[in-house]
Amino acid sequence: GLGISLLALIALIALAPFLGRLLAPTAESLSNTTAVTSELDRLPLAFIAGQGQNNDGVRFETYGSGQTAVFTPEGVELNVQQQTVQLGFVGANPATILEAGALLPGKINDFRGQDADNWQVALPTYAGVVYQQLYPGISLQYEGVDGALKSTYAVAPGADPSLIRWQYSGAQTVAVDSATGDLQIALSDQTQIVEKAPVAWQEVNGRRQTVPVAFALNESGTVGFTLGSYNANVPLIIDPTIVYETTTSLANFDSGRDIAVDANGNVYVVGRAYDANNDIFVAKLSANGTLLYTTY
């Protein structure tokens, strides 16, 4: 992967008007990044389109602070604290189409390494990704909400939600918390990924009606949903959210290091990506807070 903190840069988008007031028009440094990092968990994620900068089959990636999600037609690779687990779709449509969500204005440039043939320029970013027809009549959308990876299953009228199954390869344990209904995926004794207890609903006559739903974990280790009564003739939405939990600090991962503002109010950020190569990034945001580019 790119090994970057795109989420940190998105945080600066939200803070850009504040930073423009805080910093003088002549470039000045902001040495204390506490105000920036405190905003990270409340901000959306951006999804980077894969165009050869990664292994074959990788279509999209998104990054948080020390967190990565990689999307392929077969499933999702989740990484936190340099520990990885594979979320694989069970019995899914092998010809499912993985599509980009809404196009974002920011672009990615990757100039790392000595081989210019491997450099990438102006990679697009998106607000989410969608697995179309993952199962018959069922699509799956991923987006970033409040710094967490949110998945939404859309079940068309007449489609069978019991077909939805997935499994975690590489996890130490997978269990459903009896008190909260959360799905807990332990990567180690210190780190786990949590899928929050799902919610489900239908829109009937212009009103949202809640549908009882819970995770179902069977003996083979695959996961699905148990649903209460619902109207099979009306679209159904099932909505869990993935969050990352760890007992160790993420402080040694990616961070912004310095900020400056030019005479036109554009914000420039430099920072460090704490990957194997200790790469750096440079980003430019317009005066109104739009990410214009990020270069690594």
Side-chain angles (χ1 to χ4, degrees):
L2 296 178
I4 59 171
S5 182
L6 188 59
L7 182 58
L9 302 179
I10 298 171
L12 294 170
I13 297 173
L15 292 174
F18 164 75
L19 293 173
R21 295 190 298 270
L22 179 66
L23 302 179
T26 57
E28 296 181 4
S29 297
L30 179 65
S31 59
N32 188 344
T33 60
T34 302
V36 174
T37 55
S38 67
E39 296 293 319
L40 296 183
D41 289 339
R42 300 204 301 268
L43 296 165
L45 303 178
F47 294 73
I48 305 167
Q51 295 187 4
Q53 76 272 26
N54 296 293
N55 296 329
D56 291 343
V58 174
R59 294 290 309 280
F60 298 93
E61 296 173 284
T62 189
Y63 301 89
S65 182
Q67 308 162 6
T68 306
V70 175
F71 301 85
T72 72
E74 294 76 26
V76 184
E77 178 182 289
L78 302 170
N79 181 288
V80 59
Q81 291 280 53
Q82 299 180 347
Q83 301 173 68
T84 301
V85 64
Q86 303 281 345
L87 186 162
F89 305 122
V90 178
N93 174 15
T96 185
I97 299 173
L98 184 52
E99 296 181 347
L103 181 66
L104 297 176
K107 303 296 182 183
I108 302 295
N109 304 313
D110 185 358
F111 297 147
R112 297 174 302 164
Q114 299 298 315
D115 188 353
D117 290 339
N118 293 328
W119 292 350
Q120 300 289 330
V121 178
L123 295 174
T125 61
Y126 302 90
V129 296
V130 181
Y131 289 85
Q132 297 287 5
Q133 292 296 315
L134 183 62
Y135 298 94
I138 301 173
S139 66
L140 169 60
Q141 174 177 311
Y142 281 99
E143 57 186 333
V145 177
D146 296 331
L149 186 63
K150 182 174 179 292
S151 59
T152 301
Y153 289 90
V155 182
D160 183 2
S162 69
L163 295 175
I164 301 172
R165 306 293 293 180
W166 67 95
Q167 62 185 3
Y168 296 95
S169 302
Q172 191 175 78
T173 60
V174 178
V176 177
D177 187 311
S178 59
T180 65
D182 295 346
L183 187 66
Q184 300 175 332
I185 305 99
L187 278 61
S188 67
D189 294 338
Q190 292 78 34
T191 304
Q192 69 176 357
I193 295 171
V194 175
E195 289 209 50
K196 304 300 288 184
V199 295
W201 69 88
Q202 295 180 297
E203 294 284 346
V204 180
N205 297 324
R207 299 183 63 183
R208 178 175 291 190
Q209 295 185 357
T210 300
V211 175
V213 63
F215 286 119
L217 178 62
N218 66 27
E219 294 181 356
S220 68
T222 62
V223 186
F225 298 108
T226 297
L227 289 158
S229 177
Y230 69 96
N231 186 343
N233 297 315
V234 176
L236 172 69
I237 301 297
I238 308 174
D239 217 0
T241 299
I242 297 175
V243 297
Y244 298 86
E245 295 185 356
T246 176
T247 59
T248 56
S249 172
L250 293 177
N252 291 328
F253 283 82
D254 310 342
S255 65
R257 293 308 226 180
D258 212 351
I259 302 170
V261 178
D262 67 17
N264 296 318
N266 297 306
V267 178
Y268 300 83
V269 186
V270 296
R272 233 178 136 171
Y274 287 91
D275 57 14
N277 300 314
N278 279 327
D279 296 314
I280 65 171
F281 64 80
V282 181
K284 179 180 180 179
L285 300 91
S286 68
N288 67 3
T290 299
L291 179 63
L292 301 178
Y293 67 76
T294 308
T295 298
Y296 303 92

